[in-house]
Amino acid sequence: MNQPETAPQKLRRLQIKLALNLAINGFFPPLLYALLRPIVASDTIALALVSGVTAVRIVVGWIWNRKLSWISLATLLGLAVAVIVSQLLGGNPLPLKLHGPLITGLIGAALLISVIVRKPLFFPLLRLLARSQPTFAIQIENGLSDPENRRHLTIITAAIGLVLILKTAVDVLLALTLPTDSLLVVARLFNWGVWGSAALLIWWIRKNWRHSIELNQS
């Protein structure tokens, strides 16, 4: 019988997964583009081949894990649409440069709209993060019953949505002004900063959420 993973084991597995993702998504695409560009006819073909690596990785993960997240599905669909639009525009590489930022922008818009209609998407996200931890899941439900906590999380949802919209605007500006080889490097450095800040924010929210609940229960 398999023993359940301990917290250090889960952390170690997460660190390995993060390192692999950084290597594959961060360093490999610019390197592959630099190798392919001199031997193919255009930026569009080189970008399509680089994007194909991402698609293959998602499909292999889908087959291996027998599940496909909605983010992975959106990425696959975005890549397919970008390739089609690029061909319709006569081989223009811009759709391939912008498919990622546009998905990010749509997520940001969805977060802002969810706040406007008073159904912040950060609430179900917290429930999803706590799904595998029953104790934290109970804390989440107790916390969401507090109007003040819900107000704070609503503000956070709006803030994240706005940051994603601004990130999309910066990504679009970079795509319009930088050559492809520079874009692949600069955009990734920028994205690492944004996603790293987002991860720290989520960690801070979770830490302070637990602390707040403990104070309310004492």
Side-chain angles (χ1 to χ4, degrees):
M1 182 176 179
N2 293 330
Q3 296 293 327
E5 280 187 316
T6 63
Q9 288 173 332
K10 289 181 179 179
L11 179 60
R12 179 62 177 170
R13 180 166 56 84
L14 182 60
Q15 289 172 337
I16 293 174
K17 184 177 180 180
L18 179 59
L20 289 174
N21 282 334
L22 284 175
I24 294 173
N25 296 324
F27 300 109
F28 188 66
L31 177 60
L32 181 61
Y33 174 84
L35 294 173
L36 289 174
R37 184 61 188 90
I39 61 177
V40 297
S42 66
D43 271 1
T44 303
I45 296 175
L47 282 173
L49 292 173
V50 171
S51 300
V53 174
T54 300
V56 169
R57 181 177 62 85
I58 292 173
V59 172
V60 170
W62 180 13
I63 296 173
W64 183 265
N65 298 315
R66 298 185 179 180
K67 62 180 180 180
L68 183 67
S69 69
W70 66 270
I71 295 178
S72 296
L73 178 60
T75 301
L76 284 175
L77 292 176
L79 286 172
V81 171
V83 170
I84 293 172
V85 173
S86 179
Q87 291 302 309
L88 292 176
L89 294 177
N92 191 321
L94 191 59
L96 288 167
K97 295 179 180 180
L98 293 179
H99 77 273
L102 291 180
I103 291 175
T104 302
L106 289 174
I107 294 173
L111 290 172
L112 290 178
I113 292 172
S114 74
V115 171
I116 293 173
V117 300
R118 298 184 179 181
K119 291 184 178 180
L121 288 174
F122 206 73
F123 295 178
L125 175 60
L126 281 174
R127 291 187 174 105
L128 179 63
L129 291 173
R131 188 171 56 182
S132 60
Q133 303 181 49
T135 301
F136 187 45
I138 293 173
Q139 292 176 333
I140 289 292
E141 295 305 325
N142 291 337
L144 288 178
S145 64
D146 184 345
E148 187 66 15
N149 284 335
R150 293 179 67 88
R151 186 179 72 83
H152 288 161
L153 289 175
T154 298
I155 294 173
I156 290 171
T157 303
I160 293 175
L162 181 59
V163 167
L164 292 181
I165 293 293
L166 293 176
K167 176 187 176 302
T168 299
V170 173
D171 282 333
V172 171
L173 180 62
L174 292 175
L176 292 174
T177 57
L178 292 179
T180 304
D181 52 354
S182 299
L183 173 67
L184 290 175
V185 175
V186 174
R188 274 163 175 76
L189 293 174
F190 173 66
N191 289 339
W192 287 352
V194 171
W195 298 129
S197 300
L200 288 174
L201 175 62
I202 292 174
W203 171 83
W204 180 84
I205 291 170
R206 180 169 174 174
K207 178 181 178 181
N208 284 271
W209 181 283
R210 283 180 166 171
H211 180 65
S212 176
I213 291 175
E214 289 170 358
L215 289 177
N216 291 335
Q217 291 177 345
S218 61

